[in-house]
Amino acid sequence: MTRMRTRLFMLHVLVLALLVVLAVRLWQVQVVRGEEFVTKATETRTRAVIVPAVRGQILDSVGRPLVRNQTSLVVSVDRNALLRMKDGGVEVLRKLSTVLGQPVKQLQDRIRPCGPGISKPCWTGSPYQPVPIERKADTRQALQILERQEEFPGITAEIQSVRQYPGGKAGAQMLGYLQPVTEAELEKREGLKASFSGVDLAGRDGLEEVYDEVLRGKSGLRRVQVDRMGKAIGVEQQVSSLAGDHLITSIDARLQEVVEGALHRAMKGAPKADGGAAVVLDARTGRVLALASAPSYDPAVWAHGITTTGYKRLLSEESGKPLVSRAINGQFAPGSTFKVSSVASMLRAGYPLNGTYDCPGSYMVGDRAFNNFRGIGLGTLSLHTALVKSCDTIFYRSAYEQYLRDGGRSPKKNAKEVFANTARAFGFGKPTGIDLPGESSGRIPDRAWKKNMWALTSATNCKRAQTGYPEVTDAARAAFLKLLAQENCAEGFVLRPGDSANFSIGQGDVLVTPLQLARAYAALVNDGKVRSPRIGWARVRPDGTLVEKYDVPVVGRLPISEKERLYIKNALSQVPSDGTAAGAFSGFPMDKISIGGKTGTAEVWGKQDTSWFASFAPTSNPRFVVVAMVSQGGMGAQTAAPAVREIYEGIYGIKRQAVLPDGKPATKLPKFSPDGTVAGG
């Protein structure tokens, strides 16, 4: 009996202990960790889906789309879902290969993350983002995937918005393109990470990159109720996405087409031409009306997935590196178009505006003769005529005299370097600040630049001075390079007399971009103010409501008086009628539309000359500045000037319908209808 009671007592104690343990556990679950388990329970009941926003369009100055959206069936692969499968998703990819008609190996390569030692094709985006492997799927392919979802886990087929470029190749480098968001971007940009939808793309290059935040919009949220199997049974919460704003630009699409065509024909007419660029600015505002670079490419290759071969072509020397915008990245010797800066330099140095100057066939700079074009002397000239006839020796002499005044090879402490500093005041030697990424600065070589370059290159030059260039098959070229290396090794840090002479006519080490030259001419023929050009004009909501307008900032002023500025402008006004461009503009109705400008022919060792023409119109009250450049195009009057003439014919409707009504760019933003379409468009 006692033993029975003892057993019952122990059983009671055990039951009581179990009840205490259960009570403590319930207290932990409901009180201590209650919030945690509620959250987990909720997570198993709902799924949050980020809804991507529709990206804003890029429009021209009257509302025509430069970049717009179109819907497309996109098949994507969730690589992480495949990796969780026993076979790493090989069987799923095999089935997908049959549907899409693409080899399994190709699909595997396209979804692998890019990294060191991994060449394209590979995935450049976030590893947590589904990889689009077919951006132009047809309905049959999509239905095979959707109707047999159990056979295609981790594979989605859904309608997404992709970019469309109505102008084809026109302005491709200026517009830019989209690429997947990278993991680094997600970590760097908090706002992007919070709203990342998994299919977002980021702007790469051009306006797409600079105005990415404006165009992107805000993703929405849909919280879906699901059962324990993950099947959607209802929508618990929905926050609509906010479409991105439209970017209205100052570009005129029809003018851009004219400029592209003129540049193409100019290069076609120069057998060895390997690149070109053309810029049209509104001289009064500094806004960009057209910006072309050749060779170009069709940016649609990004929208539907670029092939390995296509990607390599965009980067190759053989195809001319079409990804590079020669308008803002191309750096070339400007030739005689640079003489506007040199005339201003002479005036700053004290040379009389209305003086007369000898223009001999050659001029001795130190111990070397520098020749005029074809060695022809033009007698005694004014600065006005020196610009019209493009005399070189007047500028050689003035630049050499200033070089000596600064101390020559042994410069004074207070050397003024008038020619270099004046060029910088014209905006050369630094980026213009245009609203495009990756702009080049050009180069204004002075004494400081020579020293810096010598420090960077002296070791190589001194080595080459000994070894020469045995790999160069042209004996004359190899001998020249060795001699140059010897000179640079011994005194590459010294600004030599010839450097100053070459600088004065836009040759030697001086380099500019076509946009820099156009910006300088706009300041010269307008009001003397140097502006930072802009393509973006305004951002508007999809219904046309103005959000923000982008002004064109003034960043400097030309270092000459109003009288001097008008003197130079008036001299340039005679070049197409009586000067070096007269042949190119023969028969042009100058009595109705007067054109001013300056030809440039820059010599390049081992290549054909670089052809330039910088211009403005009408000369009485300039509205347009047009600059064209063709690398290996020959003389300025031979290739670039005819291209500029063709652009003006398009602007003003000579021999064709005018692309700009009344020869004027748009001055007011386009109006939108209530449905978001451009009124009257």
Side-chain angles (χ1 to χ4, degrees):
M1 190 69 178
T2 302
R3 183 179 298 176
M4 182 65 70
R5 288 177 179 175
T6 301
R7 288 178 178 176
L8 287 173
F9 176 75
M10 294 298 294
L11 181 61
H12 289 161
V13 171
L14 179 61
V15 170
L16 182 61
L18 290 173
L19 289 174
V20 170
V21 170
L22 180 61
V24 171
R25 182 58 180 160
L26 286 173
W27 179 76
Q28 287 180 327
V29 169
Q30 295 184 359
V31 180
V32 177
R33 301 181 64 188
E35 186 175 346
E36 175 187 346
F37 287 115
V38 167
T39 301
K40 288 187 176 181
T42 303
E43 288 177 350
T44 60
R45 186 169 56 84
T46 63
R47 293 288 186 272
V49 180
I50 302 294
V51 181
V54 176
R55 194 172 178 89
Q57 300 182 77
I58 301 177
L59 309 174
D60 84 345
S61 57
V62 297
R64 305 183 194 98
L66 300 172
V67 183
R68 63 188 176 195
N69 300 311
Q70 67 175 357
T71 56
S72 179
L73 272 172
V74 179
V75 176
S76 301
V77 176
D78 185 342
R79 182 173 178 273
N80 290 316
L82 297 188
L83 291 177
R84 288 194 292 268
M85 300 176 187
K86 291 182 178 180
D87 64 349
V90 173
E91 180 61 22
V92 173
L93 290 179
R94 187 186 64 78
K95 294 177 180 178
L96 185 61
S97 168
T98 303
V99 172
L100 299 180
Q102 299 180 23
V104 174
K105 179 63 166 61
Q106 181 177 322
L107 296 177
Q108 291 174 326
D109 287 347
R110 292 182 64 180
I111 66 175
R112 61 181 180 169
C114 292
I118 299 178
S119 60
K120 285 185 176 292
C122 58
W123 176 239
T124 59
S126 167
Y128 305 109
Q129 179 178 357
V131 182
I133 45 88
E134 177 55 71
R135 295 183 182 272
K136 297 177 70 176
D138 58 39
T139 305
R140 181 186 60 82
Q141 292 170 327
L143 287 176
Q144 288 185 69
I145 294 170
L146 295 175
E147 290 178 352
R148 296 184 292 160
Q149 191 64 61
E150 70 280 358
E151 296 183 29
F152 295 96
I155 311 299
T156 59
E158 53 191 7
I159 293 177
Q160 294 180 13
S161 176
V162 297
R163 293 305 236 184
Q164 184 185 42
Y165 304 86
K169 295 182 178 181
Q173 301 92 345
M174 170 184 66
L175 297 173
Y177 56 93
L178 302 180
Q179 282 287 274
V181 177
T182 64
E183 186 68 13
E185 285 175 312
L186 287 177
E187 294 300 326
K188 184 178 179 180
R189 296 161 62 179
E190 291 292 334
L192 178 59
K193 187 175 184 178
S195 62
F196 180 58
S197 69
V199 294
D200 285 314
L201 300 173
R204 295 282 186 271
D205 204 16
L207 297 173
E208 291 277 26
E209 178 177 332
V210 172
Y211 293 97
D212 187 56
E213 294 293 339
V214 170
L215 297 166
R216 179 184 297 281
K218 295 182 179 179
S219 299
L221 174 67
R222 186 167 66 247
R223 196 173 294 278
V224 183
Q225 295 178 340
V226 297
D227 59 19
R228 63 187 182 87
M229 300 299 293
K231 183 178 180 180
I233 57 177
V235 178
E236 182 179 276
Q237 179 189 13
Q238 183 160 331
V239 178
S240 299
S241 60
L242 183 64
D245 294 340
H246 297 328
L247 174 67
I248 298 176
T249 70
S250 54
I251 299 296
D252 184 281
R254 293 193 298 178
L255 176 58
Q256 180 74 31
E257 184 179 351
V258 168
V259 172
E260 298 273 355
L263 185 60
H264 171 75
R265 282 180 283 277
M267 291 182 61
K268 191 175 181 180
K272 293 190 176 182
D274 57 7
V279 182
V280 182
L281 296 183
D282 184 331
R284 301 180 191 176
T285 66
R287 295 196 182 279
V288 182
L289 305 180
L291 192 74
S293 175
S296 190
Y297 72 99
D298 188 349
V301 298
W302 302 103
H304 298 296
I306 191 169
T307 64
T308 304
T309 302
Y311 183 73
K312 289 181 178 178
R313 188 190 72 81
L314 295 179
L315 299 175
S316 70
E317 292 281 359
E318 292 76 13
S319 60
K321 293 187 175 181
L323 273 182
V324 177
S325 171
R326 285 163 172 80
I328 68 168
N329 296 119
Q331 302 180 101
F332 306 88
S336 291
T337 60
F338 193 70
K339 287 176 180 175
V340 294
S341 173
S342 295
V343 169
S345 300
M346 292 177 64
L347 297 175
R348 290 188 70 189
Y351 293 87
L353 179 66
N354 296 309
T356 57
Y357 303 87
D358 289 334
C359 180
S362 66
Y363 179 78
M364 292 299 296
V365 177
D367 57 358
R368 177 186 165 191
F370 278 70
N371 297 323
N372 220 0
F373 180 67
R374 293 177 179 170
I376 300 173
L378 300 177
T380 302
L381 308 176
S382 64
L383 287 177
H384 178 107
T385 309
L387 281 173
V388 174
K389 301 301 181 182
S390 203
C391 172
D392 289 338
T393 49
I394 287 176
F395 298 101
Y396 292 148
R397 177 173 181 170
S398 60
Y400 181 48
E401 289 174 347
Q402 295 310 302
Y403 171 82
L404 295 176
R405 190 174 296 176
D406 281 339
R409 289 176 174 270
S410 302
K412 301 175 182 177
K413 289 185 178 180
N414 60 344
K416 295 182 179 180
E417 298 195 88
V418 175
F419 276 75
N421 289 327
T422 301
R424 292 192 183 92
F426 268 73
F428 299 118
K430 58 186 176 184
T432 67
I434 189 175
D435 48 345
L436 290 175
E439 183 186 11
S440 298
S441 62
R443 184 168 70 202
I444 295 299
D446 56 10
R447 287 176 167 82
W449 176 82
K450 291 286 286 188
K451 290 180 179 179
N452 291 335
M453 280 300 297
W454 186 82
L456 293 172
T457 62
S458 59
T460 300
N461 282 324
C462 291
K463 180 180 179 181
R464 287 292 191 174
Q466 297 295 325
T467 64
Y469 291 80
E471 72 276 13
V472 178
T473 55
D474 185 336
R477 174 67 172 165
F480 169 80
L481 291 175
K482 183 176 182 180
L483 179 62
L484 187 63
Q486 290 171 343
E487 291 179 359
N488 287 330
C489 173
E491 55 176 17
F493 54 88
V494 176
L495 187 72
R496 290 167 287 198
D499 295 328
S500 63
N502 280 326
F503 184 100
S504 69
I505 62 163
Q507 292 277 185
D509 292 317
V510 60
L511 299 175
V512 306
T513 69
L515 180 63
Q516 286 177 330
L517 193 64
R519 192 256 294 259
Y521 271 70
L524 181 67
V525 303
N526 181 37
D527 57 5
K529 295 179 180 178
V530 180
R531 292 174 169 82
S532 179
R534 287 293 180 272
I535 299 174
W537 190 359
R539 58 183 284 206
V540 299
R541 293 295 303 142
D543 62 3
T545 304
L546 179 64
V547 178
E548 182 181 7
K549 193 172 181 180
Y550 303 111
D551 296 324
V552 179
V554 175
V555 295
R557 183 178 290 275
L558 297 183
I560 51 178
S561 68
E562 184 73 1
K563 179 180 179 181
E564 292 167 338
R565 185 181 66 79
L566 292 175
Y567 182 94
I568 298 172
K569 170 182 168 290
N570 291 336
L572 297 177
S573 299
Q574 285 187 244
V575 172
S577 57
D578 302 317
T580 54
F585 282 85
S586 177
F588 189 89
M590 289 288 186
D591 55 332
K592 297 179 180 178
I593 306 296
S594 56
I595 310 295
K598 190 77 187 76
T599 55
T601 305
E603 297 178 358
V604 182
W605 175 269
K607 295 183 178 182
Q608 297 292 312
D609 296 340
T610 303
S611 178
W612 286 91
F613 191 64
S615 70
F616 56 94
T619 57
S620 57
N621 189 14
R623 191 58 196 260
F624 302 102
V625 166
V626 181
V627 169
M629 180 281 305
V630 177
S631 175
Q632 297 208 80
M635 296 177 62
Q638 174 186 348
T639 305
V644 170
R645 172 177 176 157
E646 185 177 339
I647 293 170
Y648 281 121
E649 289 175 345
I651 290 175
Y652 291 108
I654 301 170
K655 301 179 182 178
R656 56 167 295 169
Q657 185 177 358
V659 296
L660 296 182
D662 302 321
K664 297 178 182 178
T667 56
K668 295 182 180 180
L669 292 170
K671 293 183 179 180
F672 291 78
S673 300
D675 62 356
T677 59
V678 178

